[in-house]
Amino acid sequence: MEFDLVAVQKATTVPTESREHWRQDWLKLMDLAVWGDLRSQQIGLAGKLRKRVLEFGERLRSYASDRSWIPHPREQIKNALSSSLQLREVMAKVGEVLGQFAEGTDLAGLQVFWEAFSGGLMMDITEREGALVALLNQQYQEEV
C-alpha cells in the first residue's frame, strides 16, 4: 500500500506560524532560565535547568523541522514520531527540574509560562502523533 502523500505531509509538517511561535516561546523560556531570579538550596540546579532548556530547544527544533528531504514517506513518519517522543521526554525533564526550585521573583511567572507553553505544545504533539500512528496502522491493516 502506498501512503497518501498529502496526509503524510500534513502529519509531518509543522505550520510555519506554530514553528515561529514556539521559537519565540523557547527564547523567552531560555531567557528566564539564564537571567531569571530562580533560587534553590540545590547547588547546580540553575545550570541543570539551562542544560535541559537548551536540550528542549534542540528537540523542539527537530520536532518542527522539515522532513521533505527524507525520500520515503514511511521514514518521514518514523522520523516525526521519534522526534515527538524525544520532545516529550525532554519536556518532562524540564518540568521536573522546574519543580525543584523553591523561590525567586521570576519563579511563579516561569512556572505559569512553562505550563502554558508545554500544555499547548503537548496538544500539538498528541494530535500529530495520533495522525502519524493512524497512517502507520493504515498501512499494516491493508497488508494483512
Side-chain angles (χ1 to χ4, degrees), residues 15-34:
T16 303
E17 309 81 46
S18 296
R19 187 173 40 245
E20 282 305 310
H21 179 75
W22 295 336
R23 182 179 182 189
Q24 294 307 312
D25 281 352
W26 177 79
L27 288 169
K28 181 177 179 180
L29 178 65
M30 187 55 116
D31 183 60
L32 285 166
V34 172

Side-chain angles (χ1 to χ4, degrees), residues 75-91:
E75 297 306 314
Q76 290 178 15
I77 293 167
K78 288 170 50 180
N79 181 277
L81 274 172
S82 174
S83 295
S84 178
L85 293 173
Q86 291 173 3
L87 181 58
R88 276 180 180 265
E89 184 178 300
V90 77
M91 284 172 64

Side-chain angles (χ1 to χ4, degrees), residues 92-143:
K93 290 177 182 177
V94 170
E96 182 181 310
V97 173
L98 273 175
Q100 296 175 21
F101 282 92
E103 56 189 73
T105 57
D106 293 318
L107 181 59
L110 175 56
Q111 289 171 332
V112 168
F113 177 74
W114 174 249
E115 287 302 316
F117 184 13
S118 62
L121 186 54
M122 190 56 75
M123 285 176 39
D124 186 85
I125 290 170
T126 303
E127 184 178 314
R128 193 168 305 281
E129 283 177 350
L132 293 166
V133 169
L135 283 167
L136 286 177
N137 286 341
Q138 191 177 44
Q139 184 185 35
Y140 290 127
Q141 289 171 355
E142 293 189 17
E143 286 179 358

Side-chain angles (χ1 to χ4, degrees), residues 38-51 97 100-102:
L38 309 170
R39 290 183 235 134
S40 170
Q41 296 296 320
Q42 293 181 0
I43 295 174
L45 191 62
K48 188 174 183 179
L49 175 63
R50 289 189 291 272
K51 179 182 173 189
V97 173
Q100 296 175 21
F101 282 92

